[in-house]
Amino acid sequence: MAPQQNAATLSPCASQVKTKCSNQNRKIGLKKLHEIEQLAGKIHEHCAETQTQLIIDLGSGLGYLSEALFKLRNNYLILGLEADEQRVESARKRCQKFLPQEALNSISYKKEFIKADANSRARIEGYASKLAQSHGMLPGLDTAIIGLHACADLSISAMILFLTMPQVRSLHIMPCCYHKLALRSENDTMTSTTSPFVNFPLSNGLRNAISAATSVGCFNRPFMRLACQETSSRWRKDSFAHADHGRQMYMRALANALCDVEELVKVKVCSKPALLSLEDRDSFNELQQRYQLYSQQTGNPLDWRHVHEERFIQIGKRYSDGRGCRLAEALCCLQTSMQKLCENLVLYDRLCFLKDAAAGQQLQLEVRYEKLFDEQISPRCHVLIAKKL
Ligand SMILES: C[S@@+](CC[C@H](N)C(=O)[O-])C[C@H]1O[C@@H](n2cnc3c(N)ncnc32)[C@H](O)[C@@H]1O
């Protein structure tokens, strides 16, 4: 068993962590460094207080957070789970390259696509038990689940795993975008406790509000999706950038508007038209070069047809003289202004959902958000922290 060190006495000051990170991770941006440093410090503080030694990092990516934690206390047992095999490999290589030899026994990266179901849970428990046993400890050690930028369904799975795995005592999760948000199919059986969205749990309060839809019909898919758009910090800074962005957005809206019911468009991978003459700018030709048409049924690519070009001309007449571009940018402005409100509502509802679910299981829980990051550096700055009492 690795020697137990007193975590509290080992905690270096933030600047020490930063120096270490900066030396070893020249390619990591300031934003990421800031997030890792702040989140690792917070998790470490909590683990020291609760004597938690086993940490499961969900969506561990290249392993930055696990590395920072190991540097704060070198006898943490850290299980990094990541769906992308290449990232798992890179994380292992970084561990060999940048950390002392003993880290290879303490940090274990596994390829795992995490879900909240029983199979995924059993595999996670298996990995965690193996790691604990390899250090002479019994399975079922008090465990913390953590995650930085747990995107799409991952933050939801993290919350459910936290609730359903008795040995997991705490959760520190920094949710990210959840662009997958989809409506349940009409054939799904709905009960009074199911959410109308797929894998997007709601608190009792919000679910009731949504089902009383006549008065609060705004909590629909567009509202929820708005919560996951890019943050206002990316809002363009000058009029040229706005004009350019408005043009792109208008072109994108046009491409969508030209489609038949069974068609959809996607941006071409190499969507910058190579040689675009001045007269081709804003033309149907440019649109064809930027966007690929697909069949919704088969997923196969389709050719743009004459009927699309006719629609392009008709719509173009309605939004001529740059009106379309200005309108598109104005709508983006509205979206950017509302985005934070929508996101805060979803974040707050996650907290309420955890409380409701815990009450249903007679679990005593302390749950809160902490604004852990500097909003100027990292606009998604709230970390969800939950602790079983
Ligand atoms: C935005 S990245 C964050 C990576 C890392 N935590 C960091 O902050 O550097 C999200 C990571 O989660 C992984 N991921 C997303 N969903 C996952 C899932 N269901 N199971 C495992 N990994 C997942 C992605 O492959 C990606 O590496």
Side-chain angles (χ1 to χ4, degrees), residues 27-320:
K27 286 190 188 153
I28 304 183
L30 255 184
K31 172 176 178 282
K32 182 67 96 188
L33 271 180
H34 170 70
E35 292 170 350
I36 294 165
E37 185 180 292
Q38 297 303 315
L39 186 56
K42 187 78 206 169
I43 295 166
H44 177 55
E45 192 184 295
H46 168 85
C47 290
E49 202 180 283
T50 55
Q51 311 260 313
T52 305
Q53 197 174 357
L54 182 61
I55 298 175
I56 306 181
D57 183 2
L58 300 186
S60 48
L62 302 180
Y64 299 141
L65 187 57
S66 310
E67 280 173 32
L69 280 163
F70 180 84
K71 286 175 194 157
L72 289 171
R73 179 179 165 190
N74 69 2
N75 70 340
Y76 278 134
L77 301 179
I78 303 169
L79 174 62
L81 300 175
E82 167 58 52
D84 182 326
E85 190 151 17
Q86 279 190 344
R87 293 187 185 187
V88 174
E89 262 316 300
S90 303
R92 287 182 185 140
K93 283 187 186 143
R94 285 186 58 89
C95 188
Q96 282 171 356
K97 194 165 170 190
F98 296 128
L99 295 180
Q101 183 66 23
E102 70 261 30
L104 301 180
N105 299 325
S106 305
I107 307 181
S108 170
Y109 293 112
K110 299 280 181 204
K111 178 184 178 296
E112 174 72 30
F113 186 85
I114 299 146
K115 290 184 179 179
D117 62 16
N119 288 339
S120 196
R121 205 163 55 226
R123 276 196 303 278
I124 297 172
E125 279 168 352
Y127 295 137
S129 300
K130 216 165 156 192
L131 185 60
Q133 280 165 353
S134 70
H135 285 71
M137 293 174 195
L138 293 174
L141 214 55
D142 278 1
T143 304
I145 281 185
I146 64 167
L148 175 58
H149 294 306
C151 55
D153 291 347
L154 190 55
S155 55
I156 291 156
S157 300
M159 291 193 305
I160 295 174
L161 290 170
F162 163 71
L163 287 168
T164 51
M165 292 172 71
Q167 67 276 38
V168 176
R169 308 298 306 163
S170 67
L171 175 75
H172 286 73
I173 197 107
M174 158 92 212
C176 196
C177 49
Y178 27 88
H179 48 269
K180 281 189 183 171
L181 182 68
L183 282 178
R184 247 173 224 289
S185 122
E186 280 176 7
N187 303 330
D188 282 357
T189 342
M190 291 284 286
T191 68
S192 60
T193 55
T194 39
S195 149
F197 309 111
V198 178
N199 203 14
F200 197 88
L202 301 174
S203 70
N204 297 334
L206 187 54
R207 207 179 40 250
N208 292 340
I210 289 176
S211 44
T214 44
S215 57
V216 275
C218 63
F219 295 126
N220 49 19
R221 187 162 174 261
F223 182 99
M224 294 302 197
R225 278 183 68 94
L226 204 50
C228 64
Q229 299 299 320
E230 70 179 20
T231 56
S232 54
S233 69
R234 300 227 187 128
W235 187 238
R236 275 115 213 119
K237 302 236 166 11
D238 61 53
S239 55
F240 292 109
H242 277 297
D244 191 47
H245 186 250
R247 205 177 81 77
Q248 286 174 38
M249 291 298 105
Y250 175 59
M251 183 66 86
R252 190 166 166 172
L254 253 179
N256 280 304
L258 304 184
C259 293
D260 279 328
V261 182
E262 290 297 318
E263 295 169 344
L264 59 91
V265 286
K266 287 186 188 167
V267 183
K268 286 188 178 172
V269 179
C270 183
S271 63
K272 282 213 167 121
L275 287 167
L276 197 68
S277 65
L278 209 57
E279 69 200 45
D280 266 348
R281 202 173 137 90
D282 302 332
S283 68
F284 186 62
N285 191 15
E286 180 182 351
L287 185 137
Q288 289 181 89
Q289 290 191 47
R290 285 190 186 277
Y291 294 95
Q292 178 64 53
L293 188 68
Y294 289 91
S295 153
Q296 275 203 21
Q297 266 181 344
T298 63
N300 291 336
L302 302 172
D303 287 332
W304 290 100
R305 302 184 303 280
H306 186 58
V307 62
H308 297 120
E309 187 167 7
E310 282 179 348
R311 283 177 201 150
F312 178 88
I313 294 167
Q314 287 309 316
I315 300 175
K317 281 184 191 156
R318 225 178 306 152
Y319 297 101
S320 57

